[in-house]
């Protein structure tokens, strides 16, 4: 979402979010969110309860649709479309080195991506690993890695895109760093463990992410409290997670599920 008018930018974050979800026709939306980077290059999630202009460093900011809550079990995702979007996130995480893993695991993950994108391995056409030349999975992809991907790809004959996506996610969830983002901090061990960040914004950003993940995965419901805009003295942040919890989302999908609709896949480089 690279550009938008000044009139739109005066709206609340929820307006932009709801427009994106409506465009994507996404039911299991609460696994995802819109991320951007502030003036210090700190990753932030769009706050739906605040005006957009009060959050972003400038009106040229780029929002990116991304997975926010990584499901520990892809079987909990009801729609094929949602699993496809998760698969795209895994592909992005590999390319940005946000999902470090062994070469064998990387090759297996990449082979499922290839299977979903181009289909079965063709013995008569794919005589060597050069057919993978247009598929880049990591910044420094070696010929040896391509050979491993080729060997795994040969084993997936018969898997359709949906099955390949599911196998990709089932493999990815077992990787140690799956769904984990590291934050630079100093750890001090006393009676309790304390973490110190370089700036207030880094500390607050990490704290908000902790609140969101606890609420989404651990709580059945989250009580919505209105933000008090008349307070003169603040005794701490009033931030609350405002989306559905995982339990609420699963119940919502079961109650509102409709027949699966077709969608167009594309090759993301």
């Amino acid at each position: 979402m690279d550009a938008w008018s000044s009139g739109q930018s005066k709206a609340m974050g929820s307006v932009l979010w709801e427009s994106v979800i409506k465009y994507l026709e996404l039911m299991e939306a609460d696994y995802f969110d819109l991320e951007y980077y502030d003036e210090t290059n700190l990753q932030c999630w769009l706050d739906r309860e605040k005006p957009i202009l009060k959050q972003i460093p400038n009106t040229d900011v780029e929002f990116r649709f991304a997975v926010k809550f990584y499901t520990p079990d892809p079987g909990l995702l009801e729609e094929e479309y949602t699993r496809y979007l998760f698969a795209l996130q895994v592909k992005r995480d590999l390319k940005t080195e946000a999902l470090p893993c062994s070469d064998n695991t990387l090759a297996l993950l990449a082979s499922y991506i290839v299977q979903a994108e181009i289909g079965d391995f063709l013995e008569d056409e794919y005589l060597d690993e050069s057919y993978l030349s247009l598929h880049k999975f990591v910044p420094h992809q070696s010929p040896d890695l391509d050979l491993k991907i080729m060997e795994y790809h040969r084993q997936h004959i018969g898997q359709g895109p949906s099955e390949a996506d599911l196998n990709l996610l089932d493999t990815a969830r077992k990787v140690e760093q799956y769904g984990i983002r590291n934050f630079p901090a100093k750890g001090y061990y006393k009676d309790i463990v304390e973490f110190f960040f370089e700036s207030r914004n880094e500390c607050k950003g990490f704290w908000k992410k902790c609140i969101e993940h606890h609420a989404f995965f651990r709580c059945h419901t989250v009580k919505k409290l209105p933000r008090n805009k008349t307070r003169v003295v603040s005794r701490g942040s009033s931030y609350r997670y405002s989306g559905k919890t995982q339990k609420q989302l699963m119940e919502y999908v079961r109650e509102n599920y409709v027949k699966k609709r077709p969608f167009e896949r594309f090759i993301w480089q």
Side-chain angles (χ1 to χ4, degrees):
M1 188 143 314
D2 300 321
W4 30 290
S5 69
S6 59
Q8 290 173 312
S9 64
K10 293 177 181 178
M12 301 294 285
S14 59
V15 175
L16 178 58
W17 170 249
E18 289 166 7
S19 297
V20 171
I21 295 310
K22 182 178 179 181
Y23 175 79
L24 293 175
E25 300 180 45
L26 182 60
M27 176 174 284
E28 296 174 286
D30 292 271
Y31 286 107
F32 306 88
D33 212 332
L34 297 175
E35 67 174 359
Y36 66 95
Y37 288 83
D38 68 9
E39 62 277 0
T40 64
N41 204 35
L42 179 66
Q43 186 265 356
C44 304
W45 296 107
L46 177 69
D47 190 332
R48 302 174 202 172
E49 297 187 353
K50 286 185 178 180
I52 299 172
L53 271 182
K54 290 188 176 181
Q55 303 181 57
I56 60 177
N58 56 68
T59 54
D60 294 325
V61 72
E62 177 180 315
F63 286 98
R64 187 169 68 175
F65 183 81
V67 172
K68 185 176 188 177
F69 302 116
Y70 286 72
T71 176
D73 181 1
L76 298 176
L77 302 176
E78 186 67 36
E79 293 199 302
E80 177 186 348
Y81 184 37
T82 310
R83 292 192 291 272
Y84 168 62
L85 294 176
F86 262 81
L88 290 180
Q89 181 70 52
V90 170
K91 183 176 181 180
R92 178 188 290 167
D93 289 346
L94 290 175
K95 193 166 186 178
T96 59
E97 299 183 301
L99 185 63
C101 53
S102 68
D103 285 348
N104 279 332
T105 300
L106 173 57
L108 180 58
L109 291 169
S111 69
Y112 285 126
I113 296 172
V114 173
Q115 182 68 23
E117 291 186 350
I118 69 174
D120 288 342
F121 182 87
L122 303 176
E123 293 284 354
D124 294 336
E125 294 186 24
Y126 303 153
L127 302 180
D128 55 39
E129 74 280 7
S130 61
Y131 77 100
L132 295 170
S133 60
L134 298 179
H135 298 264
K136 297 300 179 185
F137 304 102
V138 289
H140 307 289
Q141 191 164 318
S142 66
D144 286 342
L145 178 61
D146 283 344
L147 280 172
K148 291 181 181 179
I149 296 172
M150 178 180 173
E151 290 305 310
Y152 278 123
H153 182 206
R154 182 183 274 114
Q155 299 173 24
H156 303 330
I157 292 175
Q159 290 186 21
S162 179
E163 185 180 0
D165 285 345
L166 189 58
N167 286 328
L168 169 68
L169 298 180
D170 191 54
T171 303
R173 72 182 179 90
K174 300 170 186 175
V175 176
E176 185 177 3
Q177 286 293 110
Y178 170 76
I180 294 177
R181 294 292 178 266
N182 294 316
F183 295 85
K186 299 176 182 178
Y188 292 92
Y189 295 86
K190 298 180 182 178
D191 294 332
I192 58 175
V193 179
E194 296 179 342
F195 294 94
F196 291 85
F197 293 84
E198 293 295 328
S199 69
R200 177 182 180 276
N201 285 345
E202 289 180 75
C203 183
K204 187 174 182 180
F206 177 75
W207 175 73
K208 288 173 68 173
K209 290 176 174 67
C210 290
I211 288 178
E212 291 170 335
H213 278 75
H214 174 80
F216 184 80
F217 288 109
R218 299 292 185 180
C219 298
H220 187 276
T221 60
V222 176
K223 186 176 181 180
K224 298 187 183 298
L225 299 175
R227 294 184 177 181
N228 190 343
K229 298 181 180 180
T230 62
R231 291 183 305 175
V232 177
V233 178
S234 172
R235 294 184 179 274
S237 175
S238 61
Y239 179 76
R240 297 290 186 276
Y241 173 63
S242 59
K244 295 183 182 70
T245 67
Q246 186 178 39
K247 290 184 174 65
Q248 287 177 316
L249 180 57
M250 292 171 65
E251 291 171 359
Y252 170 79
V253 172
R254 283 196 295 266
E255 294 171 0
N256 296 274
Y257 185 74
V258 294
K259 184 178 180 181
K260 295 179 181 178
R261 63 177 182 81
F263 62 91
E264 182 179 357
R265 290 172 174 264
F266 66 94
I267 297 178
W268 176 81
Q269 298 293 343

